[in-house]
Amino acid sequence: MNFPEWPSIISVSVVPVVIISACGLLSLAFYGRLAALVARLRTFQREMLREQEKWAKEGPGDRQQLLEVLRTQTLQITERARLIRRALQFFLTAVAILIVCSLTLVTSWFFRPAAFLAAVLFVAGLLSMLGGVISAMLELRESLEQVELEGRFVFHAVEPSLPDSHSDSEEIFTDASSH
């Protein structure tokens, strides 16, 4: 039996490791984002409980609108957290598949048909990574909705004569960010 050179085996099996490293870095970033969203959710929930207690003691006043804003923000942030969780699941699945791909590449030096399986696993790992990136893009698209919702509520509470429509508040945010 003719054994291949070990440096060749190692260099071929390391190719997926570069993508594993990228998935690891993305996962690290998204674990941080998920932790921040969970902290925000807990803050909103505590604020909702405080406002609910005030409502019970002092009557509704303007609290109904604030509670509705907090409920909406909680639902939106929960959806974002689900998208991040999905992205993490894709990234971690890609890591697992690419680890198996690396092992299969080593096996292919001794059993040639394993090379086809390694190629399939490599493509599957890349597709899983793509799923994570798409989930991350969807979460990013929704990332400012809560801030805009809260901004509209605060602007309306501070100055009730300000326009209340969604498009008007976007203009306010755009004007404020361009200065």
Side-chain angles (χ1 to χ4, degrees), residues 61-141:
D62 288 338
R63 287 191 177 77
Q64 179 64 32
Q65 189 178 9
L66 177 58
L67 284 169
E68 188 58 39
V69 167
L70 291 170
R71 271 188 214 101
T72 302
Q73 286 180 309
T74 299
L75 293 172
Q76 289 174 342
I77 289 176
T78 301
E79 184 56 35
R80 285 181 55 207
R82 285 187 181 114
L83 286 169
I84 290 175
R85 181 184 62 195
R86 186 178 311 135
L88 285 166
Q89 288 170 333
F90 276 122
F91 291 139
L92 295 175
T93 299
V95 168
I97 291 170
L98 291 167
I99 289 170
V100 174
C101 174
S102 288
L103 294 172
T104 306
L105 282 169
V106 170
T107 304
S108 73
W109 281 95
F110 303 102
F111 182 66
R112 285 284 174 211
F116 177 75
L117 177 59
V120 169
L121 289 169
F122 187 76
V123 170
L126 289 178
L127 289 173
S128 185
M129 187 176 181
L130 178 62
V133 169
I134 290 169
S135 295
M137 290 170 64
L138 291 171
E139 187 273 332
L140 182 63
R141 185 182 68 190

Coordinates of all heavy atoms in Angstrom, one line a residue, residues 61-141:
G61 N -54.5 57.0 32.1 CA -53.8 58.1 31.6 C -53.2 57.8 30.2 O -53.9 57.3 29.4
D62 N -52.0 58.2 30.0 CA -51.3 57.9 28.7 C -50.6 56.6 28.7 O -49.9 56.2 27.8 CB -50.3 59.0 28.4 CG -50.9 60.3 28.1 OD1 -52.1 60.3 27.6 OD2 -50.3 61.4 28.2
R63 N -50.8 55.8 29.8 CA -50.0 54.5 29.9 C -50.4 53.5 28.9 O -49.6 52.7 28.5 CB -50.2 54.0 31.3 CG -49.4 54.8 32.3 CD -49.3 54.1 33.7 NE -48.5 54.9 34.5 CZ -48.9 56.1 35.1 NH1 -50.1 56.5 34.9 NH2 -48.1 56.7 35.9
Q64 N -51.7 53.6 28.5 CA -52.2 52.6 27.5 C -51.3 52.6 26.2 O -50.9 51.6 25.7 CB -53.6 52.8 27.1 CG -54.2 51.8 26.1 CD -54.2 50.4 26.6 OE1 -54.3 50.1 27.8 NE2 -54.0 49.5 25.7
Q65 N -51.0 53.8 25.8 CA -50.2 54.0 24.5 C -48.8 53.5 24.8 O -48.2 52.8 24.0 CB -50.2 55.4 24.1 CG -49.6 55.6 22.7 CD -49.7 57.1 22.2 OE1 -50.1 58.0 23.0 NE2 -49.4 57.3 21.0
L66 N -48.2 53.9 26.0 CA -46.9 53.4 26.3 C -46.8 51.9 26.4 O -45.9 51.3 25.9 CB -46.4 54.1 27.6 CG -45.0 53.6 28.1 CD1 -43.9 53.9 27.0 CD2 -44.7 54.3 29.4
L67 N -47.8 51.3 27.0 CA -47.8 49.9 27.1 C -47.9 49.2 25.8 O -47.2 48.2 25.5 CB -48.9 49.4 28.0 CG -48.7 49.6 29.5 CD1 -50.0 49.3 30.3 CD2 -47.6 48.6 30.0
E68 N -48.6 49.8 24.9 CA -48.8 49.3 23.5 C -47.4 49.4 22.8 O -47.0 48.4 22.1 CB -49.9 50.0 22.7 CG -50.2 49.3 21.4 CD -50.6 47.9 21.5 OE1 -51.3 47.5 22.5 OE2 -50.1 47.1 20.7
V69 N -46.7 50.5 22.9 CA -45.4 50.6 22.3 C -44.4 49.6 22.9 O -43.7 48.9 22.1 CB -44.9 52.1 22.5 CG1 -43.4 52.2 22.2 CG2 -45.7 53.1 21.7
L70 N -44.5 49.4 24.2 CA -43.6 48.4 24.8 C -43.9 47.0 24.4 O -43.0 46.2 24.1 CB -43.7 48.5 26.3 CG -43.0 49.8 26.9 CD1 -43.4 49.9 28.4 CD2 -41.5 49.8 26.7
R71 N -45.2 46.7 24.2 CA -45.6 45.4 23.7 C -45.1 45.2 22.3 O -44.6 44.1 22.0 CB -47.1 45.2 23.7 CG -47.7 44.7 25.0 CD -49.2 44.4 24.9 NE -49.8 44.7 26.2 CZ -50.5 45.7 26.5 NH1 -50.7 46.7 25.6 NH2 -50.9 45.9 27.7
T72 N -45.3 46.2 21.5 CA -44.8 46.1 20.1 C -43.3 45.9 20.0 O -42.8 45.1 19.3 CB -45.3 47.3 19.3 OG1 -46.7 47.4 19.4 CG2 -44.9 47.2 17.8
Q73 N -42.6 46.7 20.8 CA -41.1 46.6 20.8 C -40.7 45.2 21.3 O -39.8 44.6 20.7 CB -40.5 47.6 21.7 CG -40.5 49.0 21.1 CD -39.9 50.0 22.0 OE1 -40.2 50.1 23.2 NE2 -39.0 50.8 21.5
T74 N -41.4 44.6 22.3 CA -41.1 43.3 22.8 C -41.3 42.3 21.7 O -40.4 41.4 21.5 CB -41.9 43.0 24.0 OG1 -41.6 44.0 25.0 CG2 -41.6 41.6 24.5
L75 N -42.4 42.4 21.0 CA -42.6 41.4 19.9 C -41.6 41.5 18.8 O -41.1 40.5 18.2 CB -44.0 41.6 19.3 CG -45.2 41.2 20.3 CD1 -46.5 41.6 19.7 CD2 -45.2 39.7 20.6
Q76 N -41.2 42.7 18.4 CA -40.3 43.0 17.3 C -38.9 42.5 17.7 O -38.2 41.8 16.9 CB -40.2 44.4 17.0 CG -41.4 45.0 16.2 CD -41.4 46.5 16.0 OE1 -40.6 47.2 16.7 NE2 -42.2 46.9 15.1
I77 N -38.5 42.7 19.0 CA -37.2 42.3 19.4 C -37.1 40.8 19.5 O -36.1 40.1 19.2 CB -36.8 43.0 20.7 CG1 -36.5 44.5 20.4 CG2 -35.6 42.3 21.4 CD1 -36.2 45.3 21.6
T78 N -38.2 40.2 20.0 CA -38.3 38.7 20.0 C -38.1 38.1 18.7 O -37.4 37.1 18.5 CB -39.6 38.3 20.7 OG1 -39.7 38.8 22.0 CG2 -39.7 36.8 20.8
E79 N -38.7 38.7 17.6 CA -38.6 38.2 16.3 C -37.1 38.4 15.8 O -36.6 37.5 15.2 CB -39.5 38.9 15.3 CG -39.5 38.4 13.9 CD -39.7 36.9 13.8 OE1 -40.5 36.4 14.5 OE2 -39.1 36.3 12.9
R80 N -36.5 39.5 16.2 CA -35.1 39.6 15.8 C -34.2 38.6 16.5 O -33.3 38.1 15.9 CB -34.6 41.0 16.2 CG -35.1 42.1 15.3 CD -34.6 43.5 15.7 NE -33.2 43.5 15.7 CZ -32.5 44.4 16.5 NH1 -33.1 45.2 17.3 NH2 -31.2 44.3 16.5
A81 N -34.5 38.3 17.8 CA -33.7 37.3 18.5 C -33.9 35.9 17.8 O -32.9 35.2 17.8 CB -34.2 37.3 20.0
R82 N -35.1 35.7 17.3 CA -35.3 34.4 16.6 C -34.5 34.3 15.4 O -33.9 33.3 15.0 CB -36.8 34.2 16.3 CG -37.6 33.8 17.5 CD -39.0 33.4 17.1 NE -39.8 33.1 18.3 CZ -40.8 33.8 18.8 NH1 -41.2 34.9 18.1 NH2 -41.4 33.5 19.9
L83 N -34.4 35.4 14.6 CA -33.6 35.5 13.4 C -32.1 35.2 13.8 O -31.4 34.5 13.1 CB -33.7 36.8 12.7 CG -35.1 36.9 11.9 CD1 -35.2 38.4 11.5 CD2 -35.1 36.0 10.7
I84 N -31.6 35.9 14.8 CA -30.2 35.7 15.3 C -30.0 34.2 15.7 O -29.0 33.6 15.4 CB -29.9 36.6 16.4 CG1 -29.8 38.1 15.8 CG2 -28.5 36.3 17.0 CD1 -29.5 39.1 16.8
R85 N -31.0 33.6 16.4 CA -30.9 32.2 16.8 C -30.8 31.4 15.5 O -29.9 30.4 15.5 CB -32.0 31.8 17.7 CG -31.9 30.4 18.1 CD -33.1 29.9 18.9 NE -34.3 30.0 18.0 CZ -35.5 30.0 18.5 NH1 -35.8 29.9 19.8 NH2 -36.6 30.0 17.7
R86 N -31.6 31.7 14.5 CA -31.5 30.9 13.3 C -30.2 31.0 12.6 O -29.6 30.1 12.1 CB -32.7 31.3 12.4 CG -32.7 30.4 11.1 CD -33.9 30.8 10.2 NE -35.1 31.0 10.9 CZ -36.0 31.9 10.7 NH1 -35.7 32.9 9.8 NH2 -37.1 32.0 11.3
A87 N -29.7 32.3 12.6 CA -28.3 32.5 12.0 C -27.3 31.7 12.7 O -26.4 31.0 12.1 CB -28.0 34.0 12.0
L88 N -27.3 31.7 14.1 CA -26.4 30.9 14.8 C -26.5 29.4 14.6 O -25.5 28.7 14.5 CB -26.5 31.2 16.3 CG -26.0 32.5 16.8 CD1 -26.5 32.9 18.2 CD2 -24.5 32.5 16.8
Q89 N -27.7 28.9 14.4 CA -27.9 27.5 14.1 C -27.3 27.2 12.8 O -26.6 26.1 12.6 CB -29.4 27.2 14.1 CG -30.0 27.1 15.5 CD -31.5 27.1 15.5 OE1 -32.2 27.5 14.6 NE2 -32.1 26.5 16.6
F90 N -27.5 28.0 11.8 CA -26.9 27.8 10.5 C -25.4 27.8 10.6 O -24.7 27.0 10.0 CB -27.3 28.9 9.5 CG -28.6 28.6 8.8 CD1 -29.7 29.5 8.9 CD2 -28.8 27.4 8.0 CE1 -30.9 29.2 8.2 CE2 -30.0 27.2 7.4 CZ -31.1 28.1 7.5
F91 N -24.8 28.8 11.3 CA -23.3 28.9 11.4 C -22.7 27.7 12.1 O -21.7 27.1 11.7 CB -22.9 30.2 12.1 CG -23.2 31.5 11.3 CD1 -23.7 32.6 11.9 CD2 -22.9 31.5 9.9 CE1 -23.9 33.8 11.2 CE2 -23.2 32.7 9.2 CZ -23.7 33.8 9.8
L92 N -23.4 27.3 13.2 CA -22.9 26.1 13.9 C -23.0 24.8 13.2 O -22.2 23.9 13.2 CB -23.5 26.1 15.3 CG -23.2 27.3 16.2 CD1 -24.0 27.2 17.5 CD2 -21.7 27.4 16.5
T93 N -24.1 24.7 12.4 CA -24.3 23.6 11.5 C -23.2 23.5 10.5 O -22.7 22.5 10.2 CB -25.7 23.6 10.9 OG1 -26.7 23.5 11.9 CG2 -25.9 22.4 9.9
A94 N -22.9 24.7 9.9 CA -21.8 24.8 8.9 C -20.5 24.3 9.5 O -19.8 23.6 8.9 CB -21.7 26.2 8.4
V95 N -20.2 24.7 10.7 CA -19.0 24.3 11.4 C -19.0 22.8 11.5 O -18.0 22.1 11.2 CB -18.8 25.0 12.8 CG1 -17.7 24.3 13.6 CG2 -18.6 26.5 12.6
A96 N -20.0 22.2 12.0 CA -20.1 20.7 12.2 C -19.9 20.0 10.8 O -19.1 19.1 10.7 CB -21.4 20.3 12.8
I97 N -20.6 20.5 9.8 CA -20.5 19.9 8.5 C -19.1 20.0 7.9 O -18.5 19.0 7.4 CB -21.5 20.5 7.5 CG1 -22.9 20.1 7.9 CG2 -21.2 20.0 6.1 CD1 -24.0 20.8 7.1
L98 N -18.5 21.2 8.1 CA -17.1 21.4 7.6 C -16.1 20.6 8.4 O -15.0 20.2 7.8 CB -16.8 22.9 7.5 CG -17.6 23.6 6.5 CD1 -17.5 25.1 6.7 CD2 -17.2 23.2 5.1
I99 N -16.3 20.3 9.7 CA -15.4 19.5 10.4 C -15.5 18.1 9.8 O -14.4 17.4 9.6 CB -15.7 19.5 11.9 CG1 -15.3 20.8 12.5 CG2 -15.1 18.3 12.6 CD1 -15.9 21.0 13.9
V100 N -16.7 17.6 9.6 CA -16.8 16.2 9.0 C -16.2 16.2 7.6 O -15.6 15.3 7.2 CB -18.3 15.8 9.0 CG1 -18.5 14.5 8.2 CG2 -18.8 15.7 10.4
C101 N -16.4 17.3 6.9 CA -15.7 17.4 5.5 C -14.2 17.3 5.6 O -13.6 16.6 4.8 CB -16.1 18.8 4.9 SG -15.3 19.2 3.3
S102 N -13.6 18.0 6.6 CA -12.1 17.9 6.8 C -11.7 16.4 7.0 O -10.7 15.9 6.5 CB -11.7 18.8 7.9 OG -11.7 20.1 7.5
L103 N -12.5 15.8 7.9 CA -12.2 14.4 8.2 C -12.4 13.5 7.0 O -11.6 12.5 6.8 CB -13.0 13.9 9.4 CG -12.8 14.6 10.7 CD1 -13.8 14.2 11.8 CD2 -11.3 14.3 11.2
T104 N -13.4 13.8 6.2 CA -13.6 13.0 5.0 C -12.5 13.2 4.0 O -12.2 12.3 3.2 CB -15.0 13.4 4.4 OG1 -16.0 13.2 5.5 CG2 -15.4 12.4 3.3
L105 N -12.0 14.4 3.9 CA -10.9 14.7 3.0 C -9.7 13.8 3.4 O -9.0 13.3 2.5 CB -10.5 16.2 3.0 CG -11.4 17.1 2.2 CD1 -11.2 18.5 2.5 CD2 -11.3 16.8 0.7
V106 N -9.4 13.7 4.6 CA -8.3 12.8 5.1 C -8.6 11.4 4.7 O -7.7 10.7 4.1 CB -8.1 12.9 6.6 CG1 -7.1 11.9 7.1 CG2 -7.6 14.3 7.0
T107 N -9.8 11.0 4.9 CA -10.2 9.6 4.5 C -10.1 9.4 3.0 O -9.7 8.3 2.5 CB -11.7 9.3 4.9 OG1 -11.8 9.6 6.3 CG2 -12.1 7.9 4.7
S108 N -10.3 10.4 2.2 CA -10.2 10.3 0.7 C -8.9 9.9 0.2 O -8.7 9.4 -0.9 CB -10.8 11.6 0.1 OG -9.8 12.6 0.2
W109 N -7.8 10.2 1.0 CA -6.5 9.8 0.6 C -6.3 8.3 0.6 O -5.5 7.7 -0.1 CB -5.4 10.4 1.5 CG -5.2 11.9 1.2 CD1 -5.8 13.0 1.7 CD2 -4.3 12.4 0.1 NE1 -5.3 14.1 1.1 CE2 -4.4 13.8 0.1 CE3 -3.5 11.8 -0.8 CZ2 -3.7 14.6 -0.8 CZ3 -2.8 12.6 -1.7 CH2 -2.9 14.0 -1.6
F110 N -7.1 7.6 1.5 CA -7.0 6.2 1.6 C -8.1 5.5 0.9 O -8.0 4.3 0.5 CB -7.0 5.8 3.1 CG -5.9 6.5 3.9 CD1 -6.2 7.5 4.7 CD2 -4.6 6.0 3.8 CE1 -5.2 8.2 5.4 CE2 -3.6 6.6 4.5 CZ -3.9 7.7 5.3
F111 N -9.2 6.2 0.7 CA -10.4 5.6 0.1 C -11.0 6.7 -0.9 O -11.7 7.5 -0.5 CB -11.4 5.2 1.2 CG -12.7 4.6 0.6 CD1 -12.6 3.3 0.0 CD2 -13.9 5.2 0.7 CE1 -13.8 2.7 -0.5 CE2 -15.1 4.6 0.2 CZ -15.0 3.4 -0.4
R112 N -10.5 6.6 -2.1 CA -10.8 7.7 -3.1 C -12.3 8.1 -3.2 O -12.6 9.3 -3.4 CB -10.3 7.2 -4.5 CG -8.8 7.3 -4.6 CD -8.4 8.8 -4.7 NE -7.0 8.9 -4.7 CZ -6.4 10.0 -4.2 NH1 -7.1 11.0 -3.8 NH2 -5.1 10.1 -4.2
P113 N -13.3 7.2 -3.2 CA -14.7 7.6 -3.3 C -15.1 8.6 -2.2 O -16.1 9.3 -2.4 CB -15.5 6.3 -3.2 CG -14.5 5.2 -3.7 CD -13.2 5.7 -3.2
A114 N -14.4 8.6 -1.1 CA -14.7 9.6 -0.1 C -14.6 11.0 -0.5 O -15.1 12.0 0.1 CB -13.9 9.3 1.2
A115 N -13.8 11.3 -1.6 CA -13.6 12.6 -2.1 C -14.9 13.2 -2.5 O -15.1 14.5 -2.3 CB -12.6 12.6 -3.2
F116 N -15.7 12.4 -3.2 CA -17.0 13.0 -3.6 C -17.9 13.4 -2.4 O -18.5 14.4 -2.4 CB -17.8 11.9 -4.4 CG -19.1 12.3 -4.9 CD1 -19.3 13.3 -5.9 CD2 -20.3 11.8 -4.2 CE1 -20.6 13.7 -6.3 CE2 -21.5 12.3 -4.6 CZ -21.7 13.2 -5.6
L117 N -17.9 12.5 -1.4 CA -18.6 12.9 -0.2 C -18.1 14.2 0.5 O -18.8 15.0 0.9 CB -18.6 11.7 0.9 CG -19.3 12.0 2.2 CD1 -20.8 12.3 2.0 CD2 -19.1 10.8 3.1
A118 N -16.8 14.3 0.5 CA -16.2 15.5 1.0 C -16.6 16.8 0.2 O -16.9 17.8 0.8 CB -14.6 15.4 1.0
A119 N -16.7 16.6 -1.1 CA -17.2 17.8 -1.9 C -18.6 18.1 -1.6 O -19.0 19.3 -1.5 CB -17.0 17.4 -3.4
V120 N -19.4 17.1 -1.4 CA -20.8 17.3 -1.1 C -21.0 18.0 0.3 O -21.7 19.0 0.5 CB -21.6 16.0 -1.1 CG1 -23.0 16.2 -0.5 CG2 -21.7 15.5 -2.6
L121 N -20.2 17.5 1.2 CA -20.2 18.1 2.6 C -19.7 19.6 2.5 O -20.2 20.4 3.2 CB -19.3 17.3 3.5 CG -19.9 16.0 3.9 CD1 -18.9 15.1 4.7 CD2 -21.1 16.1 4.8
F122 N -18.7 19.9 1.7 CA -18.2 21.2 1.6 C -19.3 22.2 1.1 O -19.5 23.2 1.6 CB -16.9 21.2 0.7 CG -16.3 22.6 0.6 CD1 -15.5 23.0 1.7 CD2 -16.4 23.4 -0.5 CE1 -14.8 24.2 1.7 CE2 -15.8 24.6 -0.5 CZ -15.0 25.0 0.6
V123 N -20.0 21.7 0.0 CA -21.0 22.6 -0.5 C -22.2 22.7 0.5 O -22.7 23.8 0.7 CB -21.6 22.0 -1.9 CG1 -22.8 22.6 -2.3 CG2 -20.5 22.0 -2.9
A124 N -22.5 21.7 1.2 CA -23.5 21.7 2.2 C -23.1 22.7 3.3 O -24.0 23.5 3.8 CB -23.8 20.4 2.8
G125 N -21.9 22.7 3.7 CA -21.4 23.6 4.7 C -21.5 25.1 4.2 O -21.9 26.0 5.0
L126 N -21.1 25.3 3.0 CA -21.2 26.7 2.4 C -22.7 27.1 2.4 O -23.0 28.3 2.6 CB -20.6 26.7 1.0 CG -19.1 26.6 1.0 CD1 -18.6 26.6 -0.5 CD2 -18.4 27.7 1.8
L127 N -23.6 26.2 2.0 CA -25.0 26.5 1.9 C -25.5 26.9 3.3 O -26.3 27.8 3.5 CB -25.8 25.4 1.3 CG -25.6 25.2 -0.2 CD1 -26.3 24.0 -0.7 CD2 -26.1 26.5 -1.0
S128 N -25.1 26.1 4.3 CA -25.5 26.4 5.7 C -25.0 27.8 6.1 O -25.7 28.6 6.8 CB -25.0 25.3 6.6 OG -25.5 25.6 7.9
M129 N -23.8 28.1 5.8 CA -23.2 29.4 6.1 C -24.0 30.5 5.4 O -24.3 31.6 6.0 CB -21.7 29.5 5.7 CG -21.1 30.8 6.1 SD -19.3 30.7 5.7 CE -18.8 32.3 6.3
L130 N -24.4 30.3 4.1 CA -25.2 31.2 3.4 C -26.6 31.4 4.1 O -27.1 32.6 4.2 CB -25.5 30.7 1.9 CG -26.4 31.6 1.1 CD1 -25.7 33.0 0.9 CD2 -26.6 30.9 -0.3
G131 N -27.2 30.4 4.6 CA -28.4 30.5 5.4 C -28.2 31.4 6.6 O -29.1 32.2 6.9
G132 N -27.1 31.3 7.2 CA -26.8 32.1 8.4 C -26.6 33.6 8.0 O -27.1 34.5 8.7
V133 N -26.0 33.8 6.9 CA -25.8 35.2 6.4 C -27.1 35.8 6.0 O -27.4 37.0 6.3 CB -24.8 35.2 5.2 CG1 -24.8 36.6 4.5 CG2 -23.4 34.9 5.7
I134 N -28.0 35.0 5.4 CA -29.3 35.5 5.0 C -30.2 35.9 6.2 O -30.8 36.9 6.3 CB -30.0 34.5 4.1 CG1 -29.4 34.5 2.7 CG2 -31.5 34.9 3.9 CD1 -29.8 33.4 1.8
S135 N -30.1 35.0 7.2 CA -30.8 35.3 8.5 C -30.3 36.5 9.1 O -31.1 37.3 9.7 CB -30.7 34.1 9.4 OG -31.3 33.0 8.9
A136 N -29.0 36.7 9.1 CA -28.4 37.9 9.7 C -28.8 39.2 8.9 O -29.1 40.2 9.5 CB -26.9 37.8 9.7
M137 N -28.9 39.1 7.6 CA -29.4 40.2 6.8 C -30.8 40.6 7.1 O -31.2 41.7 7.2 CB -29.2 39.9 5.3 CG -27.7 39.9 4.9 SD -27.5 39.3 3.2 CE -28.3 40.5 2.3
L138 N -31.7 39.6 7.3 CA -33.1 39.8 7.7 C -33.1 40.5 9.1 O -33.9 41.4 9.2 CB -33.8 38.5 7.7 CG -34.1 37.8 6.3 CD1 -34.7 36.5 6.5 CD2 -34.9 38.7 5.4
E139 N -32.3 40.1 10.0 CA -32.3 40.7 11.3 C -31.8 42.1 11.2 O -32.4 43.0 11.8 CB -31.4 39.9 12.3 CG -31.5 40.4 13.7 CD -30.5 41.5 14.0 OE1 -29.4 41.6 13.4 OE2 -30.8 42.2 15.0
L140 N -30.8 42.4 10.4 CA -30.3 43.7 10.2 C -31.3 44.6 9.6 O -31.4 45.8 10.0 CB -29.0 43.7 9.3 CG -28.3 45.0 9.1 CD1 -27.8 45.5 10.4 CD2 -27.2 44.8 8.1
R141 N -32.1 44.1 8.7 CA -33.2 44.9 8.1 C -34.2 45.4 9.1 O -34.7 46.5 9.0 CB -33.9 44.1 7.0 CG -34.9 44.9 6.2 CD -35.6 44.1 5.2 NE -36.4 43.1 6.0 CZ -37.1 42.1 5.4 NH1 -36.9 41.9 4.1 NH2 -37.8 41.3 6.1

